[in-house]
Structure formats: structure tokens, C-alpha cells
Amino acid sequence: MRHWLLGAAVCLTPLTAQAEGSDQVTSFALDNGMEVVVIEDYRAPVVEHMVWYRAGSADETRGVSGIAHFLEHLMFKGTETLAPGEFSATVAANGGSDNAFTSYDKTAYHQRIAADRLDLMMQMEAERMHNLRLTEEDVRTEREVIIEERNQRVDNDPAAQMREQLRAAQYLNHPYGTPIIGWRHEMEELDRGDALAFYQQFYAPNNAVLVVVGDVSPEEVKRLAQIHYEPIPANPDLTPRARPSEPPQLAERRIVFADPRVAQPYVMRSYLAPERDPGNQTDAAALTLLAEVLGGGQSSVLTRKLQFESQQAVYAGAWYSGVSLDDSSFGLIIVPTPDQTLEQAEAALDQALAEFISEGVDQAQLDRIKFQIKASQIYARDSASGIARRYGDALTSGLTIKDVQDWPDVLQAVTGDDIIAAAQKVLDRRKSVTAYLTSQESAQ
């Protein structure tokens, strides 16, 4: 999406990245509560500058769904000193690139630029942190943009519509069930007051994390941050993040999404699953590896059993992402061969899962997966953007720098027994939603 947050002395706290190896991480806080993380990387004279706000779609007030994403768009309008569009135009004129994204738990704004332009990036980002100016025309035209974005990404795509319905059914009470882009009927009513209310509540330095990665020293980042960000006053009315909690889920849910545009029917299932918690990432690590063991490639359990052995599927997979503030989800999919019904495909999926839990994890496969994960973590150090996102994503989801650094070792310590235990705990049909995506003819 525009597109898939008056200085006294500041104490610098270096953190040795044991698990990350070469990461040189330093963190400190400004007097107004803004958290700053610097990761040094002197291989190229560029920096990634990201401001993350601890505010996403799950922090919206009921009835104004989509306002977090809408505000992300509106942040590229004018401020007291920047004309509409001038922010991105200035970045481009200086040889850089910029963008932004909204998720359930955070909104982030980022620029990749030559290291000697970091001062300018901070100046402009600080300006729109507290001096955003919106006209009624800005709001009206940009509202049309996000509605058209929903048309393209969701309303014109049966698979996206089905996934939206599945997620809404997965979360009985928690706002993770509301789409990030918003429900269309509420998006159509979003106005300037809604945008400014969200901005004034959440866009404050004491609700933000600045992450800078690249060819710059922590001392220089501190100096510039004190000049540009520290004079911005904290929001004294900012309260701890409190969301509606999810009640016990006691009954499985099933949906059928039928649309004549569907060319390839499939079955998708989602289970409520725990997220990575600060200081306690073991369960999430086991689920991460469970997803890889079940559906991470050609040698995965579901691929082997359903595609190669029984030949009942043209594709089968699994996925899990543990970086979220509250409970996440664990997903499965099976795309059946033309001679299989969706009911037969679902039965085959369940049988494969039962056999896996009974047979246990193949140690050789697990060793290969761990080696591949370790290699990918090493290669990921070549991306300043990837490093900035890894730390910013974690810090705005309740994790700590130490959690980020410990994560590779936590993954490597997971055993086959841990994975089976995680599967037995999470693959509970009472906490699941099973969705059929089909054509109208198949649904009748």
C-alpha cells in the first residue's frame, strides 16, 4: 500500500548482538520518550531511516475501520512547511526512495537515502510528526484513493474476500478480525475529524520508535535526533494499549465463499495461535518450525503426502507469523487436483496431519530446515531495510532488542518433540475456521 511511528544528556546503551553476529546495535531514549535504535553498517554510504508508531488498525476505535491506513496516506499531504507531495519529491530529488505501510499493530514510514542526507530526512519526518495540515479536499480525494485500493485488492478478488471473511470469523472479539484497509461502508464515512483524532492520539514521540540502519554512528544519530525529534512534546494523555480480549473459542467455524470468478477452488484453515512474547519465544519458535516442516517446500510433510504420494493436491502449505502484539494464527491450505472435491481434500489434509503427529518429526528434515533458516538469517544482514524492519516490527509488537537477538538461538534449540507438542496444542479444531473457496456451480 502506498505503499504490501528540549534535550538534556541522553545515555547511549550499546547492545552486543550475540545471535545476530555482526549487528552493532545501540539504543537510547530521548527526553520526550521517543525510543531510538541504531544499527551500524558501513559497507555502503547509505542509511535506512524508519519511524514506527505503536498504532495500527487494531488500535482503531470501533466504527472507523481503516482510519490508521487512511492516515498513512494523508501523511503525504502538507504540513506547515511542506506542500502536498513535497516530502516524497524531496526524497527523490536527493536520490532516495520512501514509502510507508500500515499493519494491525503499527504504522511505519521509511526512507532509503545517502548517509549525508539523514539530517534532511529527520527534519521532514519530525515536521509531519507534529505539524500535519489537512484540508477537506485532501481528505475527500484521498478517501476515493483508499476506496479504489479496496476495490482492486479485495472487492475484485474472490480469494481476498474469502480471506477477509475467514479472519473475521477467526477473531470473535479482538480487532484483528477487522481488515486493515477497513470495511467499505465505514471507509466511505471517514472524515477529517476521524483522521486528526487518530493522529493527535497516537502520532507522538513517546509512541514512536526511530530505527536507523547504515553508514552512521550512534553519536551522530543522537545529535540529529536531539535537534529534530526531541523538541516535539510528548503526548501526556497517551495510555497503555488496551484492546478487547478474545474469549475462549469453543466451537469450530466453517464458511463457504462461492463466486463464479473462482477458477481454482481450495480449502484454507486458520487456527488461533500464540505470538512471540518478550522473554518467552519458545512456543512461537516451535510453531515457526512446524510451519516449515509441514509446508515449507518440496520436502515438506504436506507436499510429500498430498502431492507426491496420494496425488490429491496440486499444492499444500502452511504458514505462521509470530510477530504480533496479541494472539496470532496458524494457517493451512490445500488446493486439490481436479478429480478431488473440497470435502475429499479437507479429509486428506486432516489425515496427513494426524499421521504427522503420530509419526513425529523427521530429524534429518528438521536439521535441513534449521540450516536453511540460519543461512537466510546471514543473508538477511545484506539488507538495511530488512534489518530495520526486523527490529522495528519487533519493538512495536511488544518485543525487545534482546528478543530479536535471541531469536536465532531460540529457533535452533527447538526439538522435534517441541514441534509435535506445539502441533497438538494449536491444531485444535475448536479454535479454527475452515473456509471453502469455490465457484457458484461447485457450491450448489
Side-chain angles (χ1 to χ4, degrees), residues 8-39:
V10 174
C11 177
L12 292 174
T13 306
L15 293 150
T16 303
Q18 298 172 351
E20 291 291 328
S22 63
D23 282 2
Q24 299 180 59
V25 184
T26 301
S27 70
F28 57 93
L30 303 181
D31 281 357
N32 56 13
M34 188 174 189
E35 185 176 355
V36 184
V37 177
V38 184
I39 300 102

Side-chain angles (χ1 to χ4, degrees), residues 147 238 371:
I147 290 173
L238 188 67
F371 182 82

Side-chain angles (χ1 to χ4, degrees), residues 20-224:
E20 291 291 328
S22 63
D23 282 2
Q24 299 180 59
V25 184
T26 301
S27 70
F28 57 93
L30 303 181
D31 281 357
N32 56 13
M34 188 174 189
E35 185 176 355
V36 184
V37 177
V38 184
I39 300 102
E40 300 168 68
D41 183 349
Y42 301 107
R43 290 176 291 179
V46 297
V47 293
E48 187 81 17
H49 173 263
M50 296 192 75
V51 172
W52 298 71
Y53 292 97
R54 293 184 174 93
S57 64
D59 299 293
E60 297 166 343
T61 301
R62 299 280 191 179
V64 290
S65 63
I67 194 62
H69 171 247
F70 188 27
L71 178 59
E72 176 218 311
H73 279 244
L74 292 170
M75 286 288 283
F76 290 87
K77 301 299 181 181
T79 70
E80 287 188 355
T81 62
L82 295 169
E86 184 179 353
F87 190 110
S88 294
T90 301
V91 174
N94 282 272
S97 60
D98 76 313
N99 217 317
F101 60 87
T102 304
S103 186
Y104 291 103
D105 297 316
K106 74 273 302 183
T107 308
Y109 301 84
H110 55 99
Q111 305 88 41
R112 184 168 176 81
I113 197 80
D116 63 358
R117 303 295 196 275
L118 180 60
D119 186 9
L120 177 60
M121 296 303 103
M122 286 199 188
Q123 175 187 333
M124 294 195 299
E125 197 66 83
E127 168 70 9
R128 68 175 173 181
M129 179 183 283
H130 72 118
N131 279 331
L132 183 66
R133 294 293 179 267
L134 299 177
T135 67
E136 293 292 350
E137 180 63 15
D138 290 334
V139 172
R140 185 187 65 79
T141 57
E142 205 61 36
R143 185 171 55 225
E144 293 174 356
V145 170
I146 62 169
I147 290 173
E148 180 56 28
E149 184 176 332
R150 181 180 168 89
N151 285 339
Q152 294 178 3
R153 294 177 178 269
V154 181
D155 296 342
N156 291 330
D157 182 350
Q161 288 181 302
M162 182 275 285
R163 292 192 299 269
E164 186 178 80
Q165 294 293 308
L166 183 151
R167 191 170 183 95
Q170 178 68 85
Y171 292 94
L172 303 175
N173 192 47
H174 194 282
Y176 283 167
T178 300
I180 295 170
I181 198 167
W183 298 115
R184 185 187 183 97
H185 68 287
E186 292 182 347
M187 295 170 66
E188 293 171 343
E189 300 299 323
L190 296 177
D191 60 26
R192 180 174 177 272
D194 297 325
L196 291 176
F198 195 86
Y199 176 75
Q200 291 161 2
Q201 181 178 3
F202 294 113
Y203 280 50
N206 53 325
N207 199 42
V209 180
L210 169 64
V211 181
V212 180
V213 181
D215 185 17
V216 67
S217 70
E219 292 76 19
E220 178 65 3
V221 172
K222 181 189 78 169
R223 184 183 72 82
L224 294 175

Side-chain angles (χ1 to χ4, degrees), residues 206-426:
N206 53 325
N207 199 42
V209 180
L210 169 64
V211 181
V212 180
V213 181
D215 185 17
V216 67
S217 70
E219 292 76 19
E220 178 65 3
V221 172
K222 181 189 78 169
R223 184 183 72 82
L224 294 175
Q226 286 181 314
I227 292 172
H228 298 298
Y229 290 114
E230 200 162 59
I232 302 173
N235 178 5
D237 299 322
L238 188 67
T239 58
R241 300 171 92 171
R243 296 166 171 174
S245 59
E246 191 67 14
Q249 297 196 355
L250 307 176
E252 70 171 301
R253 280 130 284 157
R254 305 182 66 83
I255 63 174
V256 175
F257 193 95
D259 190 294
R261 296 171 294 177
V262 173
Q264 179 62 72
Y266 60 79
V267 180
M268 182 176 286
R269 184 181 295 153
S270 172
Y271 300 85
L272 197 66
E275 78 284 7
R276 285 168 60 182
D277 290 321
N280 181 18
Q281 304 181 91
T282 303
D283 289 346
L287 289 170
T288 299
L289 287 169
L290 173 63
E292 291 298 315
V293 168
L294 286 177
Q298 292 298 302
S299 63
S300 66
V301 170
L302 296 181
T303 299
R304 174 172 54 83
K305 287 181 176 291
L306 299 173
Q307 289 183 240
F308 299 144
E309 293 180 4
S310 70
Q311 298 185 355
Q312 293 172 284
V314 296
Y315 175 77
W319 64 91
Y320 167 76
S321 176
V323 182
S324 64
L325 189 63
D326 301 312
D327 277 349
S328 184
S329 61
F330 187 96
L332 299 167
I333 184 173
I334 177 170
V335 182
T337 55
D339 62 330
Q340 296 286 304
T341 67
L342 294 182
E343 291 79 7
Q344 289 171 325
E346 183 185 3
L349 175 64
D350 288 331
Q351 181 180 346
L353 293 174
E355 290 174 354
F356 163 71
I357 292 174
S358 175
E359 295 166 359
V361 176
D362 179 84
Q363 187 60 46
Q365 181 199 12
L366 180 57
D367 290 342
R368 286 195 302 271
I369 290 171
K370 287 184 176 182
F371 182 82
Q372 291 166 352
I373 289 175
K374 190 171 185 178
S376 69
Q377 290 166 342
I378 293 172
Y379 293 138
R381 293 179 190 150
D382 290 335
S383 170
S385 174
I387 293 171
R389 286 176 183 244
R390 186 164 70 251
Y391 281 91
D393 201 23
L395 293 172
T396 50
S397 300
L399 298 171
T400 67
I401 292 175
K402 187 176 186 303
D403 292 323
V404 177
Q405 296 172 348
D406 287 347
W407 180 241
D409 287 340
V410 175
L411 285 171
Q412 294 298 321
V414 172
T415 67
D417 289 342
D418 295 332
I419 294 172
I420 295 300
Q424 291 173 324
K425 181 178 180 180
V426 170

